[in-house]
Amino acid sequence: MQITKRQWLAAGLIFIAVMLAALGWFDFAKAPASAPGTAGPAASSTEPGVPQAVTPAASVKPFTLSAADTIASWSFKGAYTGNDTLIQQANADSAHLTALLGKGQYDDYDLHIGIGNNFNLLGDGDAAYAEYRKAVAVHPEKGLAFANIGHLMDELGAYHSAADAYAHAVAVEPAVLEYHLERLDFLVKRFPTDNARIAAALTDAHNQFGDVAQELTIEAQWLTGQKRYADAIAIWQRVKLISPGRDMTAIDAEIARLEAKQ
């Protein structure tokens, strides 16, 4: 099953990915690449930067589209649009996965996400959304379907709905770092001046993981975009403190660039 890949990386986020690559850190700016449900349990530790074992809230409100959004069209140019061979391949894969539903060989959650991803590749947002919602109905305590809804809503221009979906992913699986990073990645791109919303997302991530280089990198780049250069420098300094032994050339150059702007 294929996992939807994000195709709309902003220039600032490209900078972050390059920075992380230069420092040898995880490239957070991609949708989850592993099969749903394969992530291991969170480690039980009180050390900063180590996920804390947190039981998701027993009850999370059902996901609905935000009243603030209007989706003009549920169709968009998918990755496979215009390629007859790939379209045929996606349709055949969806038929195969559909035939496996309810058989017990695979979790229906994974199957619905796989089918939804195929529709996403074809640019059929309505059908993709329907499959992701079916996945949520199977396992409302898992975050990947919500994260994929977030990706889809972003593609459709339903940004408030996307923000809600990412928040759901974090709420149901708070110990999965990727969902926090995806949420922050989205917010700093689509809601860069919504300080309260971004601050809440940063607090959620920090409360769960402490200082993590990937999260701090997003925060520093967001602060830079807001021309809060002194604050951004302070965050880069925190990154350096938690990264002993790494090559800090890229960060030092960024700090020098920001100092020149003050």
Side-chain angles (χ1 to χ4, degrees):
M1 288 178 285
Q2 294 167 314
I3 301 299
T4 305
K5 293 184 178 179
R6 308 179 72 171
Q7 299 174 7
W8 25 249
L9 209 55
L13 297 175
I14 292 175
F15 167 85
I16 297 172
V18 171
M19 180 74 75
L20 289 173
L23 296 170
W25 288 321
F26 172 70
D27 179 6
F28 66 87
K30 297 179 181 178
S34 59
T38 57
S44 178
S45 171
T46 57
E47 296 180 12
V50 176
Q52 306 303 302
V54 176
T55 302
S59 177
V60 176
K61 293 181 181 179
F63 181 80
T64 56
L65 297 179
S66 172
D69 290 327
T70 299
I71 299 177
S73 173
W74 284 82
S75 298
F76 58 93
K77 185 176 181 179
Y80 288 2
T81 300
N83 189 316
D84 291 340
T85 299
L86 293 178
I87 290 173
Q88 183 178 7
Q89 177 182 326
N91 286 329
D93 187 53
S94 290
H96 174 66
L97 297 178
T98 299
L100 293 171
L101 287 168
K103 301 295 180 60
Q105 184 178 1
Y106 300 100
D107 193 327
D108 281 2
Y109 181 86
D110 295 358
L111 297 173
H112 283 302
I113 286 181
I115 298 167
N117 289 339
N118 281 329
F119 282 124
N120 196 306
L121 292 167
L122 296 174
D124 188 339
D126 191 30
Y129 181 52
E131 291 298 326
Y132 295 149
R133 284 171 58 88
K134 290 176 184 177
V136 169
V138 174
H139 288 306
E141 78 285 1
K142 291 188 176 183
L144 183 58
F146 289 118
N148 278 4
I149 290 173
H151 301 162
L152 176 63
M153 291 301 118
D154 190 8
E155 187 73 51
L156 294 171
Y159 300 139
H160 292 87
S161 298
D164 291 344
Y166 286 123
H168 270 64
V170 167
V172 297
E173 287 197 286
V176 179
L177 175 61
E178 177 70 11
Y179 299 149
H180 290 270
L181 299 179
E182 290 284 342
R183 179 190 186 190
L184 286 166
D185 178 2
F186 168 80
L187 290 177
V188 301
K189 181 181 64 174
R190 298 303 189 190
F191 295 94
T193 61
D194 192 337
N195 293 351
R197 192 191 294 260
I198 292 175
L202 289 169
T203 298
D204 286 344
H206 190 268
N207 287 345
Q208 185 65 29
F209 300 98
D211 279 351
V212 178
Q214 299 100 308
E215 177 263 319
L216 291 175
T217 299
I218 299 174
E219 183 177 3
Q221 188 62 15
W222 168 62
L223 291 169
T224 299
Q226 299 303 301
K227 298 184 179 180
R228 294 167 57 183
Y229 302 128
D231 292 335
I233 290 170
I235 296 298
W236 284 123
Q237 296 290 3
R238 283 167 60 185
V239 174
K240 292 180 65 173
L241 285 174
I242 65 172
S243 310
R246 293 187 180 274
D247 182 0
M248 294 291 108
T249 302
I251 288 182
D252 287 338
E254 177 63 5
I255 289 174
R257 187 181 74 86
L258 295 177
E259 288 176 338
K261 288 179 173 291
Q262 294 186 92

